[in-house]
Amino acid sequence: MYLARVIGTVVATQKDESLRGVKLLVIQPLDSFQNNMGAPVVAADTIGAGYGELVFCAKSKEGAMPLRDPNAPVDAGIIGIVDSIHNEIKGR
Amino acid sequence: MIFSRVVGNLVATQKNKNLKGAKLMLLQPLDTKGANAGEQFIAVDAVGAGIGDIVLAIAEGGSARQAYKAQNPLTPIDTVIAGIVDVIDTEDGVIRLFD
């Protein structure tokens, strides 16, 4: 699992049948000091995350598991909204 | 499986219902000399590890879910702490964590 920030939304009318009704958000993956890590990706949301929120995500097949169709073609899924992080290693 | 040190934890009230009660830890991957190697990641704890412990983490979906013994097979976990390391003995030397 990795941290990410929600940076936008995606609207797609023509998409795979199993993605109907699924909320798609653009997320920027972060390292644990909340610095950007790699390029933004599109993730499926089932917990009601919003723009600007710090979330944590599951990769690949696990990302689709909270969806109505767990076999939906999704490779990142938002699975929780972060309240707080405690890190013994100080930030960079 | 990868060596990591538990360096922190994460609190999330709003999360997938299958993760209720799961202990979310922040892990720092290590090399065989015990030095930090790579980016930190989040894992669910299945063995009762604490901050400062060196642990074995499984970072592969299917095996991770199996190690966590989740009741619902659709629990969205892709990394899990599956063991607490006592000794690492490689050609780089021996790291002994509990005497």
Side-chain angles (χ1 to χ4, degrees), chain B residues 70-92:
Chain B
Q71 293 199 324
N72 187 333
L74 292 178
T75 302
I77 290 175
D78 58 14
T79 32
V80 72
I81 300 175
I84 302 175
V85 173
D86 297 328
V87 181
I88 303 170
D89 184 359
T90 65
E91 55 188 16
D92 291 332

Side-chain angles (χ1 to χ4, degrees), chain A residues 14-92:
Chain A
Q14 195 67 22
K15 57 180 183 282
D16 189 89
E17 192 59 30
S18 54
L19 288 175
R20 185 182 284 179
V22 173
K23 187 167 131 201
L24 298 171
L25 296 174
V26 186
I27 58 164
Q28 168 65 59
L30 304 173
D31 66 17
S32 49
F33 308 111
Q34 300 185 34
N35 303 313
N36 291 358
M37 186 174 69
V41 293
V42 178
D45 176 38
T46 51
I47 51 154
Y51 177 79
E53 266 177 325
L54 183 64
V55 296
F56 65 104
C57 304
K59 296 190 276 271
S60 64
K61 187 177 161 60
E62 285 71 33
M65 286 185 171
L67 302 180
R68 194 172 44 209
D69 179 359
N71 293 316
V74 158
D75 62 9
I78 297 172
I79 54 172
I81 299 174
V82 176
D83 295 337
S84 66
I85 303 171
H86 168 74
N87 194 342
E88 295 277 301
I89 297 177
K90 292 291 165 254
R92 276 170 264 172

Side-chain angles (χ1 to χ4, degrees), chain B residues 43-61:
Chain B
V44 174
D45 181 25
V47 292
I51 289 174
D53 284 345
I54 292 186
V55 296
L56 274 178
I58 299 178
E60 198 279 316

